[in-house]
Amino acid sequence: MLYSWLLIVHLLAAIAFIGTLFFEVFIWHRAREELAWSAQFTSEQAIARRSRQVLHGVVVLLYGAGIGLAWHYRGVLGAPWASHFSAMLSLKIVLAVSIIGHYLLLAYWLTQKRLSPLRAVWIRRSILGHMVLIVILAKLMLR
């Protein structure tokens, strides 16, 4: 029963996380170009602030549920290439850890005041790409 709840929480958090990144990368990035510079700056700050507030909770749920789900399969993680399922799960975990690395890099750039617009776009696209790969791997695990 706990596994089913973890699965639902994990799925909903993944949808929220990917949806937010999708909005930022494919919708907001282009739409903001139609605004005056002052409006771009103000709205960019407001969206970034709200996004951080919401995504912190979403990420805690996403990774917390993911760890709970992976714990259920801890036996197969000892031999990551022993089966199709364990290989896909291991790759998902590597990608998820890589996303954490992206956020650490982002935090570093922010504290050092080195986050340029180009870097911000690159890191959002990279994280979204990682998330899409994780979703594909999750689907492949069902085979």
Side-chain angles (χ1 to χ4, degrees):
M1 184 65 170
L2 175 62
Y3 183 85
S4 297
W5 282 107
L6 287 173
L7 194 59
I8 290 167
V9 168
H10 190 65
L11 178 62
L12 293 175
I15 290 168
F17 189 63
I18 293 170
T20 301
L21 286 172
F22 182 88
F23 169 78
E24 289 178 356
V25 170
F26 291 107
I27 298 172
W28 175 243
H29 183 69
R30 292 285 185 231
R32 66 188 283 279
E33 294 171 355
E34 297 177 19
L35 301 173
W37 186 85
S38 60
Q40 281 184 23
F41 181 75
T42 305
S43 54
E44 183 82 29
Q45 295 301 315
I47 289 173
R49 188 172 38 258
R50 185 64 184 149
S51 180
R52 279 192 302 272
Q53 290 170 346
V54 171
L55 283 185
H56 286 154
V58 168
V59 167
V60 167
L61 289 173
L62 179 64
Y63 277 84
I67 289 167
L69 291 169
W71 183 258
H72 183 76
Y73 295 103
R74 63 190 176 279
V76 291
L77 290 172
W81 307 113
S83 70
H84 174 79
F85 181 86
S86 62
M88 298 296 112
L89 181 58
S90 298
L91 286 172
K92 280 179 60 176
I93 291 169
V94 167
L95 288 168
V97 169
S98 176
I99 290 171
I100 292 171
H102 279 71
Y103 277 106
L104 293 174
L105 179 61
L106 177 63
Y108 172 76
W109 283 341
L110 283 169
T111 58
Q112 300 299 310
K113 305 220 185 309
R114 297 178 59 195
L115 182 64
S116 68
L118 185 63
R119 284 181 171 173
V121 168
W122 173 84
I123 208 156
R124 282 186 187 116
R125 287 178 180 169
S126 182
I127 292 170
L128 181 59
H130 278 66
M131 289 300 296
V132 168
L133 287 174
I134 289 172
V135 168
I136 292 168
L137 289 170
K139 187 65 176 172
L140 291 174
M141 288 171 68
L142 299 175
R143 294 185 343 160

